Amino acid sequence: MVQGHPVEGEMIVRTGWPDAPVALLNAVRHHHERTDGCGYPDRLTELPLLTARVAVADVYDAVRTARSYQPARSAVEAQAILRKVALPPHVVEAVLLAAELLQDVWCEEQMDSGAA
């Protein structure tokens, strides 16, 4: 039970990971929260670090992945979008840096394998 309320996300996580840490359950519950208080489900204005990391990664993935209602956006577009979302800027920059580094590694692996 996260913050005294059983939630569907907690039940889903607990099904596959019965000993999941409470911090993880809270991050799952609050990954749609925003620092301007306009997120949900609890309209938080301060996000724990793990929650902020999950929230930023979720937005990045949503922007970079094609959806039925929108095409995938480029890494440059994703950066611009993320920098406008009400999430902790230091976490946004850290996730963007990690995404850039991972892209560089992926490109190198593709070149080494002859796939590119």
Side-chain angles (χ1 to χ4, degrees):
M1 200 175 321
V2 178
Q3 294 187 356
H5 305 286
V7 293
E8 182 179 346
E10 178 182 354
M11 292 183 286
I12 291 168
V13 173
R14 290 264 185 233
T15 298
W17 188 0
D19 300 342
V22 171
L24 174 67
L25 297 174
N26 282 323
V28 170
R29 175 179 169 81
H30 294 116
H31 76 279
H32 286 279
E33 298 286 359
R34 300 295 180 258
T35 56
D36 60 4
C38 291
Y40 63 90
D42 297 320
R43 301 181 69 88
L44 301 178
T45 55
E46 292 185 30
L47 306 181
L49 185 56
L50 181 59
T51 299
R53 289 173 178 160
V54 172
V56 172
D58 180 58
V59 172
Y60 185 83
D61 178 66
V63 171
R64 294 283 287 141
T65 304
R67 307 290 172 127
S68 61
Y69 52 88
Q70 73 179 19
R73 306 284 182 91
S74 72
V76 172
E77 290 172 308
Q79 289 175 5
I81 290 167
L82 262 174
R83 288 181 175 132
K84 292 178 184 174
V85 177
L87 289 165
H90 68 286
V91 177
V92 168
E93 295 307 318
V95 169
L96 291 175
L97 178 59
E100 185 178 321
L101 293 172
L102 289 171
Q103 180 65 29
D104 290 346
V105 168
W106 181 83
C107 288
E108 286 177 21
E109 288 176 354
Q110 294 300 306
M111 289 176 65
D112 290 346
S113 70

